[in-house]
Amino acid sequence: MDIAEALKIADNLVFASRNKHLNDLERSIIEGVCQGKKYSQIATDNYCEQSHVNDVAADLWKALSNVVGEQVRKANFKSTIERHQSKNISSSFVEQISLVNICSEVTLNHHPNHSLQQAAIINTPQYFKTIPDLVPIYARTQELDSLKNWILTEKCRSVVISGAAGIGKTALARQLLEDIKGEFDEIVWQSLGCQRSGVEFIDRNLIASLNTEALPEPTLDLEARLSLLLEHFRQHRCLIILDDLDRLFSSGELAGNYAEEYQEYRELFRRSWETNHQSCLLLLSREEPSELAVTLGNNSSIHSLSLGGLGAGGREIFRAKGLSDEDRWDDAIESLGGNPAYLGSVSIAIKKLFGGKMGEFCKYEELFLTEDIKLLLNYQFGRLSAAEREVIRLLASETIPVSISSSIESLNISPADVGNAIVSLGRRGLIDRTETEDGTFFSVRSIVKKFILQL
């Protein structure tokens, strides 16, 4: 049994247990367990604390145990699922699961004799596997309006939403989906953290999830598979949302360069960008693809949204968390770059340590760098190239923004490497650019500076 099969069975079982599908972290736990990973590694992969993974996993095994009738644990998960698969499940149970699970790969339109309850959802766009839960988003009205205009009015073929970890890309895309899902025939939401080859991903996660006639023959090459997929995109209005695009990129190199084993994905995106069709590919990534700038200049049907911090909108998060001392909020938001994940993490720390009093918390600057924020930044810093590390260390050591000429003079690397590193750091959302009458200057946000100076 491969990981995709285990996920599908587990999703159905969990849905039967609690009427709710697997969330992203639960899927990552199952994938990690199948790959022999420890909870600590799963926590690192998902930018959260191990204690949180332990708690979520315990609830997950309990939900599975309730359905299969035996205790499910990390150690026996795969063998238990395999035994469950081998049993002859009654047709009534299969019917129940297939009817209520709108994420099933079975197309509801092929069953005209459903009950009235099923008839009500028979025209609902089909989702592949799970989508994230809706969560509150703050001060993103302008971004939502731009995305809706590009996708619904301009009918663009692709949109790339990029931004630093925790900035709110997935939450924004989820709200967007909620607002526009009625405009599409079919919908797919899939994480690219599955680490599959491009051909396997196209077969299992795209073609198999859409209402295509059949899977392609194994002998067909990548080009033939892409032609089959793009023909479906021409005939149907599909919305394909692919999260975690940066998982396909190489670590230790400049941002947005595909790892050798994932070059087929580049061809998938290139063909979907260049081929005329009526569908939309929405990509979410911590790093902009390296080819995006050239593509945007040559193709008006492709758009890019670089998601920045919330600015004053971050006050809504502090207000929702019940923090006091509003006169200190703006300073905290600026220090944290308006990153929603950072703001949320700091809010929890303030509630736990100081009863929600921002003023007391701000007396200790080192407390701003919470463990959750460290995890997010550690992941990003670990992906930097050698040149990027030198440049960002230099910027972090300065008290004022630095020009590229000053950076070149201060570093013992070539001007080309300095320039490429600065562009790449911008793609990762780790540095800010300021335009003045005297030129262009670059700086590191306060929270990033604190992190780097502690290394």
Side-chain angles (χ1 to χ4, degrees), residues 24 27 126-133 169-178 186-192 201 205-206 209 239-244 282 284:
D24 283 351
R27 292 177 60 78
Q126 298 301 293
Y127 300 91
F128 184 58
K129 298 188 177 177
T130 62
I131 60 173
D133 291 332
K169 301 177 294 295
T170 300
L172 178 64
R174 179 63 182 87
Q175 183 60 58
L176 173 69
L177 172 60
E178 193 69 14
E186 299 173 80
I187 296 172
V188 172
W189 184 303
Q190 179 64 45
S191 168
L192 290 169
F201 181 82
N205 299 87
L206 294 181
S209 68
L239 176 62
I240 312 297
I241 306 172
L242 302 182
D243 204 349
D244 301 313
L282 180 61
L284 315 181

Side-chain angles (χ1 to χ4, degrees), residues 300-311:
S300 60
S301 66
I302 311 300
H303 287 282
S304 173
L305 175 64
S306 180
L307 205 57
L310 295 178

Side-chain angles (χ1 to χ4, degrees), residues 280-336:
C280 182
L281 184 67
L282 180 61
L283 302 174
L284 315 181
S285 180
R286 295 178 185 88
E287 306 169 14
E288 289 183 354
S290 57
E291 71 273 24
L292 182 61
V294 174
T295 303
L296 291 172
N298 297 329
N299 195 331
S300 60
S301 66
I302 311 300
H303 287 282
S304 173
L305 175 64
S306 180
L307 205 57
L310 295 178
R315 295 172 64 87
E316 296 181 36
I317 294 180
F318 290 157
R319 187 170 293 109
K321 298 295 184 181
L323 303 189
S324 60
D325 304 327
E326 289 194 31
D327 58 313
R328 307 301 301 273
W329 288 5
D330 290 340
D331 290 340
I333 292 168
E334 182 178 358
S335 177
L336 296 166

Side-chain angles (χ1 to χ4, degrees), residues 6-7 54 61 77-78 117 147 157 181 192-193 231 266 271 297 315 340 352 391 396 409 418 434 449:
L7 281 168
N54 292 343
W61 305 143
F77 164 75
K78 197 168 183 180
Q117 179 182 2
L147 290 167
R157 293 196 289 266
K181 60 187 179 183
L192 290 169
E231 179 59 30
R266 183 201 294 271
R271 285 289 305 277
R315 295 172 64 87
K352 289 182 176 180
V391 169
E409 292 172 2
V418 173
T434 304
K449 180 179 293 189

Side-chain angles (χ1 to χ4, degrees), residues 376-394:
L376 293 174
L377 290 173
N378 190 58
Y379 171 82
Q380 288 188 281
F381 194 81
R383 295 183 59 82
L384 302 185
S385 66
E388 287 176 293
R389 287 172 182 260
E390 291 198 44
V391 169
I392 200 168
R393 286 183 186 277
L394 170 66

Side-chain angles (χ1 to χ4, degrees), residues 150-159 180 182-187 210 229-240 271-282 301-302:
W150 293 340
I151 295 174
L152 300 183
T153 304
E154 298 185 19
K155 297 192 182 301
C156 63
R157 293 196 289 266
S158 187
V159 173
I180 68 174
E183 302 294 326
F184 292 88
D185 302 323
E186 299 173 80
I187 296 172
L210 299 169
L229 182 64
L230 291 168
E231 179 59 30
H232 191 80
F233 286 176
R234 280 190 287 268
Q235 295 179 6
H236 304 271
R237 179 80 162 135
C238 305
L239 176 62
I240 312 297
R271 285 289 305 277
S272 68
W273 291 345
E274 296 178 356
T275 304
N276 186 31
H277 56 76
Q278 63 171 324
S279 298
C280 182
L281 184 67
L282 180 61
S301 66
I302 311 300

Side-chain angles (χ1 to χ4, degrees), residues 433-448:
R433 184 178 67 181
T434 304
E435 300 284 351
T436 72
E437 294 180 356
D438 297 324
T440 304
F441 297 86
F442 301 92
S443 60
V444 178
R445 291 170 185 153
S446 176
I447 192 67
V448 179

